[in-house]
Amino acid sequence: MMRLRPLTLAMVLLALLVATAPPANTQAAEIGGGIEIQPANGPNGAYAQVGPSGQVSIQLDGDAAVPGEGLQADTLTRFDRVLLVINTNSADGGEGRQAYIHVVAEGTSASDFNFYSGNNPETSIEGEDNAVRLDTGESTSVGFTVDTRGDFEATDLALTVVAEVSEIADAILVVEGDIPTAGDPVTFDATESNGDALVYTYDFGDGTTAADAGPRTQHTFDELGTYNVTLTVDETTSEVPEGSDTVTKEVILRGNQQAGDTEEVIEIPDPVPGGPEPALQSVSATPDGATASDVLVRAVAAESVSDITGTPPGGSATIAGGSINPVDATNANSTVTLTVAESALPAGTEPDELAIERYNGASWEVLPTAVEDTSGDTVTLAAATPGFSLFAVTVNDAPALDNGDGPDTAPNGGGGGGGGGVDSATETEDVVDVETTTTETATIETTDSGTQTQDAGDITEGEDTTVSTEAETAESGGAAVTPSTDQTTDREPSGFGPVPTLGVVVLVALLLIVVIIRIRQKE
């Protein structure tokens, strides 16, 4: 059945009761869908009056007081070109809109009237089967004959001009649901598509199609990934050119959401039992401070990572991806692990060539990464992250992750607790590990003046000594720091201080003066 839209019904009242033909009213009125009706040019158009909403009255009688007067009795009277119907639509961007015009006459005298298009009474325009097609910019005139032979009555006649305007084929496709997931039905809605008697054909981009599937359909994708789903609508009505239109939507299929706790290894199941093995096998998230939280995870195909963010990761190849979200620790400094199938690695790629990258909302950042395990057919990587979002395992150079098992080999000290390398420390033989080593200095008191200092490790048991130990404490990630010499001490200094020494000097000087005075007196 045609899916043409009946836009407007223009009511024409044949008033067979009015005097001589009035002055022509050339006002045009739109009856809907870009279709206008107006009195035709020429003498017979003067019989038509068009109202602002498309109402039309046609006046034929010469004396309103004498019904039927002015029409010849027992004859067939012809009135060409009384009305003009115009398709005012434009053809911008396509073939335009076609209109189909026909007339419906009602009333007791309807059988005495015959409506036709143009100047040929044999070209009936009455009824849907006799509709006249008007392409964009085209028009047609409407005339009629009146048969006063037989039992003719001059009564009112209701005339409806019906304009059915075809739709331009326009495919519109909506993918329902916020996050389509592999293994679950995805609903496609094309009910907003426009056109006449449409047939809907879907190509789901995974090698399957659905012909004549209707305006709404569902499809299940077996694998994660990005698919280009194409909808084609074809018009099938015989009364209009069979137009068609096509639209394509990009659909990203992710894994079903998995949930777990912090520090828990969350397994990623196959989207479809017995289907292809997912590249991402499992993940875990451990926020600093062991913050307890639910962790939500979705696997993402390697090909879809850049489709989601709009920019690809920095690595030469992407192995797998996934979103990780600890509900109560979204922005916490944390350690994440991602386990990928070894079969997903490009040929010749070693585990230590892999990196974990994180999308920070604007760009991808390479995280300090370490290979945690390579047992079985999987590779497990660990990385330090300042927050959570979408992660990707890539083939890329990454700073080393300081996991506390040995000296930091990353540039400038690498990750871990954020400490730096030995940039300005004083090197000593005692510094083995700048985070734990202490250097001790022993001070030995003797009965002689002065102080002897030696390494505390050189003091032997049995010596009559009193030992006071001062510690140099290494700062995290830096050199040993020697306590300030301005600190007070609990020991008394050994030997003579400066005040007693000065007194002796003064006393000796006085004695010398006395001796000299006595010698001079004797002389």
Side-chain angles (χ1 to χ4, degrees):
M1 180 177 177
M2 286 182 59
R3 189 173 168 268
L4 299 175
R5 184 171 57 183
L7 295 172
T8 282
L9 305 179
M11 301 301 297
V12 180
L13 181 62
L14 297 183
L16 306 179
L17 304 174
V18 186
T20 57
N25 182 354
T26 58
Q27 175 184 352
E30 181 173 341
I31 61 175
I35 308 304
E36 291 184 354
I37 187 170
Q38 67 183 50
N41 295 324
N44 288 341
Y47 291 100
Q49 292 281 324
V50 178
S53 300
Q55 303 92 345
V56 177
S57 64
I58 298 176
Q59 302 169 340
L60 298 175
D61 277 359
D63 185 354
V66 183
E69 185 176 313
L71 287 175
Q72 296 181 9
D74 297 324
T75 188
L76 182 67
T77 305
R78 171 178 167 181
F79 295 87
D80 289 341
R81 296 182 57 80
V82 177
L83 294 172
L84 185 67
V85 183
I86 308 169
N87 183 350
T88 66
N89 288 293
S90 65
D92 293 344
E95 61 185 81
R97 304 175 70 183
Q98 294 79 39
Y100 290 84
I101 309 299
H102 70 273
V103 172
V104 177
E106 298 177 351
T108 57
S109 61
S111 60
D112 296 323
F113 286 81
N114 175 44
F115 293 90
Y116 56 89
S117 63
N119 299 322
N120 184 3
E122 301 299 323
T123 309
S124 175
I125 197 174
E126 293 187 30
E128 186 174 355
D129 291 341
N130 294 316
V132 174
R133 170 179 163 177
L134 297 182
D135 288 333
T136 298
E138 291 185 342
S139 63
T140 187
S141 62
V142 178
F144 58 87
T145 61
V146 181
D147 189 356
T148 59
R149 295 170 297 186
D151 297 330
F152 173 77
E153 284 189 35
T155 59
D156 292 346
L157 175 69
L159 172 68
T160 301
V161 177
V162 180
E164 292 182 325
V165 181
S166 68
E167 298 287 345
I168 299 174
D170 183 20
I172 299 175
L173 181 62
V174 175
V175 183
E176 295 186 352
D178 294 333
I179 303 179
T181 55
D184 292 336
V186 180
T187 299
F188 297 92
D189 184 358
T191 55
E192 295 299 316
S193 298
N194 296 313
D196 304 314
L198 293 178
V199 171
Y200 302 82
T201 302
Y202 299 85
D203 183 339
F204 298 108
D206 62 351
T208 60
T209 59
D212 197 12
R216 285 177 61 86
T217 191
Q218 289 186 327
H219 181 69
T220 299
F221 298 84
D222 293 338
E223 298 183 43
L224 310 182
T226 300
Y227 299 89
N228 290 320
V229 178
T230 300
L231 165 69
T232 300
V233 295
D234 293 288
E235 294 181 317
T236 60
T237 178
S238 59
E239 295 196 14
V240 295
E242 294 184 356
S244 66
D245 190 39
T246 297
V247 64
T248 297
K249 285 283 187 180
E250 181 183 84
V251 183
I252 299 174
L253 276 296
R254 312 186 197 195
N256 277 296
Q257 182 171 274
Q258 307 299 316
D261 298 322
T262 51
E263 302 186 50
E264 176 186 352
V265 176
I266 302 172
E267 302 290 339
I268 307 297
D270 295 347
V272 176
E277 179 185 48
L280 183 64
Q281 298 279 298
S282 66
V283 303
S284 70
T286 305
D288 290 356
T291 303
S293 173
D294 292 332
V295 180
L296 306 179
V297 178
R298 281 189 188 274
V300 175
E303 66 189 64
S304 301
V305 169
S306 60
D307 296 328
I308 294 172
T309 61
T311 180
S316 60
T318 300
I319 310 302
S323 59
I324 306 174
N325 178 30
V327 177
D328 299 322
T330 302
N331 297 317
N333 291 328
S334 309
T335 299
V336 295
T337 66
L338 283 78
T339 299
V340 297
E342 191 176 44
S343 59
L345 274 61
T349 302
E350 297 297 329
D352 58 6
E353 298 178 79
L354 302 179
I356 295 179
E357 299 188 39
R358 170 183 175 263
Y359 187 69
N360 60 20
S363 61
W364 288 92
E365 55 185 347
V366 182
L367 303 176
T369 305
V371 178
E372 190 170 84
D373 185 63
T374 57
S375 60
D377 297 328
T378 61
V379 175
T380 300
L381 303 176
T385 178
F388 291 88
S389 60
L390 182 63
F391 294 84
V393 176
T394 66
V395 179
N396 203 348
D397 293 329
L401 175 66
D402 180 10
N403 55 19
D405 293 336
D408 201 343
T409 58
N412 296 322
V422 183
D423 296 330
S424 59
T426 301
E427 295 183 357
T428 68
E429 294 180 357
D430 301 303
V431 178
V432 176
D433 186 331
V434 295
E435 296 182 343
T436 58
T437 302
T438 301
T439 302
E440 296 183 346
T441 302
T443 302
I444 305 173
E445 292 187 6
T446 67
T447 54
D448 298 329
S449 298
T451 302
Q452 295 180 350
T453 303
Q454 68 181 56
D455 192 301
D458 295 334
I459 302 174
T460 58
E461 294 183 5
E463 290 184 334
D464 185 13
T465 60
T466 302
V467 179
S468 174
T469 303
E470 299 173 349
E472 293 180 293
T473 305
E475 293 183 344
S476 174
V481 179
T482 304
S484 171
T485 55
D486 295 334
Q487 296 177 356
T488 58
T489 178
D490 296 332
R491 303 191 307 271
E492 292 294 334
S494 60
F496 293 106
V499 175
T501 302
L502 181 59
V504 172
V505 172
V506 173
L507 181 59
V508 171
L510 290 176
L511 290 177
L512 288 175
I513 292 173
V514 172
V515 171
I516 293 173
I517 292 174
R518 288 186 176 180
I519 292 175
R520 289 183 177 180
Q521 288 178 346
K522 291 181 180 180
E523 292 177 350

